[in-house]
Every structure is written in structure tokens, then in C-alpha cells.
């Protein structure tokens, strides 16, 4: 029981793993009430959980030892809790490793992975828990949650200022296109829930007989996208109304940052956008999911494996991958499996990006889009799009006909059944119906207008004794019709 040293699966003592761990901290450049860098926010939470769970590990180990001789049933229950605490600790260390990878703290991330593996290799019946506690506690205390920003990753952190906007570069889009087989004679519907300025989706659609739909929260980028795509919904995707199973291809490049939810909590949108975008993709339709490789977390991998066949992951070309760590996940939508499938093969890419093949290796025409016509009866953004309404009205034949055609009554010569009275002439003249050039024996130009005329009348007021009480003014407002007439002999005004 005593004298056992906590070791990782490679045989290295757990407490020795901290020797090379850097002490520098990384924090968001946006402080105060502004948006915070997601990894830093979550590392703070991970630090608290690691400290609490490390303490729990020691507490429940002591309870197991206390009950071992006196109460075997209580000892077993305590040991079950101890197993659960170790499992939770390993889970937090795995999450921490991904967060450190996002913050580009690779050496510290590797330490988190080794600690997790070493924890699984540790004999829980050992009485030597002190090295384990000290190692986990020291690791949690050294997590980069405060301090100044590492200059090497300032550009990465500036993602917050750009609202998580990472436009996909044209070269990698061209490589993705090579792997898509578009059906002949079928117009396919493409959709991007986060379309940016529309360049990526336009590149996919151009020359392939496609109809491109996009949604964008940022209005300036949405307006730019509207010049490139067929339809653009303004406002939040989550409040848009879009037809189900109406699209052949879903191009999903979500924002990579922490966002404020409706309940006031913060979360990431990679998973939520994936789940809420699925209903609009037809069964047999193709998903292209662009995310950083470290976001291939177990929960996201579960969604992918349960809903897609033929899943494959492709790393962006070297220069782009170095900047944004992006991968493209391809998959064909299927009906959900009744039995959960293994996700480990997909999760492992988050730990070993070197194992992810490059997009340059994606086989040509590997993924075929459905050979069927699909309608999109409903595509409406959360915000009213006046520009799109104008475009639709201009394309509407019925609207053009309504504005251009005139009825027979309008085209025909108009003759009153009876001679017009003075008041009727005034109304006709004031409405502008007899303005312009009058062709007759004495041609002239006429322009009618109505002006307001104020008439004032005064009345002297006296009391019953004949004493003057003042003057009472009465105002009357009337319309006055004026015809201005230009004749060859000069200008005349008729009232």
C-alpha cells in the first residue's frame, strides 16, 4: 500500500511531468465587459474543477481506507465514488488539453494529456495519494488563466474583434470542390448558415448549376454576400425560417468564439449550429464542416457519427493550417442510428493532428450530391431584408405588368357626360389631370394649383348698455384654384 509512486503510462512519475511546463500565462486582449477569449474563460473553470476534484480524490481514498476493515459495503460504495472522481478528473484533463491547444500552449497541453493517461494507470488501492494530489494541484495552479498575452498568438486572439470571422481561402475551397460530384441536369441547392461575405459559397456554386443560399448576422457582410449569392437571410441564423430537407449541400463554417446566449450564459456555436442546421439538409446530402481540429470534441463527434455516413476529415494546406488549425469534415446525411457507434476514431484527430490527411489528398468526385430536384419554399432571415424584396419585385413579371399596363379607360379619350361645373373644373385642375400642353386652335401650356386663402372678418362687440367690449376676429380658410397659362402672347394667371 505505502511507497507506491504515481506514474503515467510511459513510466514517468506524474510529479515529474511539471518540470518542463512553461509558467507564462495567456489571456484575452479584450478585458472588462468586452467579449473574452473562449479558451481562457474555460481554463478558469477547468482550474476550479481540477482543484476541487483533486481534493475529492484524497477524501474518498481516505474513506475507502476507513471502511475497509469495518464495513465492506460502505467501502465498496466509497470506492465506486472514487472511480467516478478519477473518471471526472480524466475528463477535465482531456478538456483542458484541448483548450490549451486552442490557446497554442502546446507543451502544457501535452502535459495535460500525459497526466490524464497517468491517472488511468494509477492504482487506486495505493495509499500513496500525496504525489498525485500535489501534481494535479500544481498543474491546476500553473494553468495560463491570468497575465499578459503571448505575442505569438495575438493574431489568433483577435478573432474576437472579427466576431469569429474566418473566411475560407479560395485554394482550399478549390481542393474541396475536387471531391464533390455535382449531378448532371439537376440544379442543386447550397446553403451556408454563416456565409460571411459569400465568397466561399459563390466559388462552390459557380459553374456547377447551383442555387446558393446564405445567412449572416453581420449586416455589412450580409449586404456584400447579397451581391454574390442568390438569396441571403439577414440576422441570426437561429431565428431564421428555412425549409426542411431542401438542400443538397451544407457548407458550415461557424464562428470560433464564445458567444452570449439568450439565457445570459456563454457557449460555443460549433455544436449548436451543426445540430440546428441538420434539418434543412436532405438525406443523402453532403455536409462540409469547417472547424479547428481541436474542436473535434466527444460531443461534436457524437453528433457527426450518429447523423452522417462516409465521414472523413481533411486538414487544410500547411500555410492555412498553421494560421487557423482548420479541418474540413465531409459526411453524407443519414437517418440516426438506433445503436450508438464508436466515436474514438474521430476524437483521436483532436489529439493527433499530424494523422489528419491533407485536403490535397481528397480523391476526385468522392462525394456525390443527390440526383433529385429539391424545392426551397421557405427561406426567411430573422431581419426584414428590404434589398431582397426590391430584387424580387424587379424580377416579378406581374409587378412589371401592373406598373406598365394601363386600362382601356386610362388610354381612351375622356368626355364628361354633362358640362363640368366650376367646382369640378377646380378639382380636375388641382389634381393635375389637365396640366401640360393643350393642343387646340390656340395651343397653350397650363398648370393648375391650389393654395390656401385665409379671410379675416372683424365684428365690434357691445354690451346691453351700449358699452364697447372689444373686437372679435373670425378667420376662414378656403381653397383657391389658380391656373397659370403660358400662351404665344404671354403669361396669364386665372383664379
Amino acid at each position: 500500500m505505502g511507497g507506491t509512486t504515481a506514474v503515467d503510462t510511459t513510466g514517468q512519475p506524474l510529479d515529474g511531468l511539471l518540470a518542463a511546463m512553461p509558467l507564462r500565462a495567456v489571456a484575452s486582449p479584450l478585458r472588462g465587459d468586452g467579449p473574452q477569449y473562449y479558451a481562457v474563460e474555460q481554463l478558469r473553470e477547468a482550474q476550479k474543477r481540477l482543484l476541487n476534484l483533486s481534493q475529492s480524490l484524497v477524501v474518498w481514498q481516505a474513506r475507502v481506507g476507513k471502511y475497509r476493515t469495518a464495513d465492506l459495503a460502505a467501502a465498496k460504495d466509497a470506492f465506486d465514488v472514487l472511480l467516478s472522481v478519477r473518471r471526472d478528473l480524466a475528463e477535465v484533463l482531456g478538456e483542458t488539453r484541448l483548450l490549451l491547444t486552442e490557446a497554442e500552449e502546446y507543451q502544457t497541453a501535452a502535459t495535460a494529456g500525459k497526466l490524464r493517461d497517468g491517472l488511468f494507470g494509477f492504482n487506486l488501492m495505493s495509499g500513496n495519494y500525496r504525489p498525485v494530489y500535489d501534481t494535479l494541484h500544481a498543474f491546476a495552479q500553473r494553468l495560463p488563466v491570468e497575465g499578459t498575452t503571448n505575442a505569438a498568438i495575438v493574431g489568433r486572439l483577435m478573432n474576437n474583434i472579427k466576431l469569429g470571422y474566418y473566411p475560407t481561402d479560395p485554394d482550399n475551397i478549390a481542393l474541396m470542390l475536387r471531391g464533390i460530384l455535382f449531378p448532371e441536369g439537376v440544379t442543386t441547392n447550397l446553403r451556408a448558415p454563416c456565409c460571411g461575405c459569400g465568397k466561399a459559397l459563390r466559388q462552390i456554386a459557380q459553374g456547377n448549376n447551383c442555387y446558393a443560399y446564405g445567412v449572416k448576422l453581420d449586416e455589412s457582410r450580409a449586404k456584400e454576400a447579397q451581391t454574390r449569392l442568390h438569396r441571403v437571410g439577414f440576422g441570426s441564423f437561429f431565428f431564421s425560417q428555412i425549409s426542411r430537407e431542401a438542400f443538397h449541400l451544407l457548407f458550415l463554417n461557424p464562428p470560433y468564439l464564445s458567444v452570449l446566449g439568450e439565457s445570459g450564459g456563454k457557449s460555443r456555436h460549433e455544436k449548436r449550429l451543426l445540430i440546428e442546421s441538420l434539418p434543412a439538409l436532405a438525406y443523402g446530402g453532403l455536409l462540409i464542416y469547417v472547424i479547428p481540429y481541436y474542436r473535434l470534441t466527444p460531443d461534436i463527434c457524437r453528433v457527426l457519427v450518429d447523423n452522417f455516413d462516409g465521414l472523413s476529415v481533411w486538414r487544410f494546406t500547411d500555410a492555412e493550417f498553421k494560421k487557423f488549425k482548420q479541418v474540413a469534415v465531409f459526411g453524407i446525411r443519414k437517418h440516426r442510428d438506433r445503436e450508438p457507434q464508436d466515436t474514438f476514431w474521430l476524437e483521436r484527430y483532436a489529439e493527433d493532428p499530424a494523422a489528419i490527411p491533407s485536403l490535397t489528398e481528397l480523391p476526385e468526385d468522392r462525394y456525390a450530391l443527390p440526383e433529385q430536384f429539391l424545392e426551397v419554399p421557405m427561406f426567411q432571415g430573422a431581419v426584414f431584408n428590404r434589398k431582397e424584396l426590391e430584387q424580387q419585385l424587379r424580377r416579378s413579371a406581374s409587378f412589371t405588368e401592373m406598373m406598365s399596363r394601363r386600362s382601356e379607360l386610362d388610354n381612351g379619350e375622356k368626355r364628361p357626360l354633362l358640362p363640368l361645373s366650376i367646382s369640378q373644373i377646380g378639382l380636375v385642375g388641382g389634381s393635375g389631370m389637365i396640366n401640360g400642353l393643350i393642343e387646340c386652335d390656340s395651343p397653350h401650356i397650363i398648370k393648375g394649383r391650389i393654395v390656401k386663402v385665409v379671410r379675416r372678418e372683424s365684428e365690434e362687440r357691445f354690451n346691453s348698455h351700449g358699452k364697447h367690449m372689444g373686437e372679435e376676429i373670425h378667420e376662414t380658410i378656403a381653397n383657391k384654384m389658380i391656373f397659370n397659362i403660358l400662351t404665344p402672347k404671354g403669361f396669364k394667371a386665372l383664379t
Side-chain angles (χ1 to χ4, degrees):
M1 298 256 318
T4 303
T5 304
V7 297
D8 71 0
T9 52
T10 64
Q12 181 181 2
L14 286 179
D15 50 351
L17 292 174
L18 299 183
M21 193 174 108
L23 295 177
R24 60 189 168 88
V26 53
S28 171
L30 303 175
R31 313 296 287 176
D33 296 330
Q36 299 292 308
Y37 186 46
Y38 178 83
V40 178
E41 292 177 316
Q42 298 303 305
L43 281 171
R44 293 192 186 102
E45 294 299 318
Q47 183 186 63
K48 295 177 185 177
R49 293 174 64 193
L50 283 172
L51 292 172
N52 292 335
L53 288 168
S54 299
Q55 183 68 37
S56 296
L57 196 71
V58 176
V59 170
W60 285 101
Q61 183 271 339
R63 292 184 182 180
V64 171
K66 176 182 177 181
Y67 295 127
R68 281 183 67 183
T69 56
D71 189 342
L72 289 179
K76 181 182 182 303
D77 291 341
F79 187 75
D80 289 341
V81 176
L82 188 61
L83 286 171
S84 176
V85 171
R86 180 171 68 173
R87 186 166 54 250
D88 292 344
L89 264 170
E91 181 180 333
V92 175
L93 285 168
E95 294 172 358
T96 302
R97 189 195 64 77
L98 293 178
L99 293 168
L100 289 166
T101 301
E102 179 170 359
E104 300 190 2
E105 295 287 333
Y106 300 117
Q107 190 174 352
T108 316
T111 301
K114 291 179 180 180
L115 285 173
R116 181 194 59 184
D117 296 340
L119 193 62
F120 278 122
F122 175 63
N123 180 12
L124 292 179
M125 294 305 294
S126 166
N128 193 16
Y129 271 60
R130 186 70 190 186
V132 177
Y133 172 79
D134 289 343
T135 300
L136 293 173
H137 190 273
F139 175 78
Q141 291 289 1
R142 294 186 185 186
L143 285 178
V145 296
E146 299 293 345
T148 57
T149 303
N150 175 4
I153 63 169
V154 168
R156 186 86 173 100
L157 297 177
M158 290 303 287
N159 166 49
N160 292 283
I161 296 176
K162 299 191 295 180
L163 293 177
Y165 178 55
Y166 282 83
T168 310
D169 75 294
D171 291 340
N172 281 279
I173 289 292
L175 292 172
M176 295 178 201
L177 265 170
R178 190 178 62 177
I180 305 172
L181 178 62
F182 292 88
E184 292 187 10
V186 177
T187 300
T188 52
N189 302 326
L190 317 182
R191 185 170 69 97
C194 306
C195 68
C197 59
K199 290 183 179 179
L201 197 62
R202 171 64 178 267
Q203 185 177 348
I204 296 174
Q206 198 161 23
N208 292 312
N209 189 21
C210 301
Y211 208 83
Y213 297 75
V215 178
K216 188 61 185 174
L217 175 63
D218 182 68
E219 187 171 344
S220 61
R221 292 197 184 105
K223 288 180 178 178
E224 185 178 353
Q226 205 161 22
T227 65
R228 298 187 174 100
L229 308 180
H230 296 92
R231 298 283 302 277
V232 175
F234 282 31
S236 170
F237 162 76
F238 301 113
F239 297 98
S240 302
Q241 298 182 54
I242 300 173
S243 298
R244 299 173 67 91
E245 300 174 28
F247 294 87
H248 299 77
L249 183 147
L250 171 62
F251 182 79
L252 182 56
N253 183 10
Y256 311 149
L257 80 166
S258 173
V259 291
L260 189 66
E262 297 172 43
S263 62
K266 291 187 176 180
S267 63
R268 292 287 288 252
H269 269 181
E270 290 98 331
K271 179 182 177 182
R272 185 182 177 192
L273 272 163
L274 174 62
I275 292 173
E276 298 202 20
S277 297
L278 283 184
L281 181 63
Y283 288 102
L286 175 63
L287 166 73
I288 303 179
Y289 187 34
V290 179
I291 54 172
Y293 76 90
Y294 49 76
R295 291 301 294 163
L296 285 169
T297 52
D299 55 341
I300 288 178
C301 290
R302 170 55 59 199
V303 176
L304 291 170
V305 170
D306 285 350
N307 293 279
F308 293 93
D309 272 330
L311 281 168
S312 62
V313 185
W314 307 90
R315 177 169 46 86
F316 276 35
T317 51
D318 292 341
E320 282 297 307
F321 187 76
K322 186 176 181 180
K323 285 193 294 183
F324 302 135
K325 311 297 184 294
Q326 289 172 302
V327 296
V329 181
F330 283 68
I332 299 296
R333 190 185 180 196
K334 65 177 180 180
H335 292 279
R336 283 182 62 91
D337 293 319
R338 293 185 178 181
E339 298 294 330
Q341 304 297 313
D342 175 55
T343 61
F344 177 74
W345 69 272
L346 190 57
E347 294 175 31
R348 69 182 178 86
Y349 285 131
E351 300 189 12
D352 188 13
I356 304 175
S358 171
L359 268 172
T360 56
E361 303 173 45
L362 176 63
E364 188 173 357
D365 297 339
R366 174 167 178 175
Y367 291 95
L369 300 186
E371 296 183 3
Q372 62 184 103
F373 174 75
L374 299 174
E375 290 188 8
V376 187
M378 172 61 71
F379 187 84
Q380 182 177 322
V383 178
F384 180 71
N385 188 344
R386 296 179 60 183
K387 187 68 175 178
E388 184 176 13
L389 178 61
E390 292 173 6
Q391 293 176 350
Q392 291 180 8
L393 289 176
R394 280 197 293 268
R395 292 194 294 265
S396 170
S398 59
F399 185 78
T400 303
E401 184 177 356
M402 180 185 74
M403 297 301 293
S404 60
R405 287 189 59 184
R406 302 184 64 175
S407 68
E408 294 182 4
L409 184 62
D410 289 332
N411 292 329
E413 186 177 349
K414 302 173 184 59
R415 295 181 178 275
L417 298 177
L418 297 171
L420 297 177
S421 65
I422 294 298
S423 60
Q424 290 172 329
I425 292 174
L427 288 173
V428 173
S431 68
M433 292 188 66
I434 60 174
N435 289 344
L437 177 64
I438 306 299
E439 296 282 1
C440 59
D441 293 339
S442 301
H444 57 277
I445 297 174
I446 187 170
K447 172 67 176 176
R449 63 191 182 97
I450 297 176
V451 298
K452 300 292 184 181
V453 177
V454 179
R455 296 177 181 175
R456 289 184 175 85
E457 295 181 356
S458 62
E459 181 181 355
E460 302 292 338
R461 302 296 301 274
F462 297 90
N463 64 14
S464 57
H465 300 290
K467 183 179 179 181
H468 187 263
M469 300 296 294
E471 185 180 29
E472 185 175 312
I473 305 297
H474 299 277
E475 286 190 354
T476 303
I477 300 177
N479 292 325
K480 181 179 181 181
M481 185 69 218
I482 300 176
F483 284 106
N484 294 319
I485 303 174
L486 179 63
T487 70
K489 297 182 180 179
F491 175 81
K492 294 182 180 181
L494 303 177
T495 62

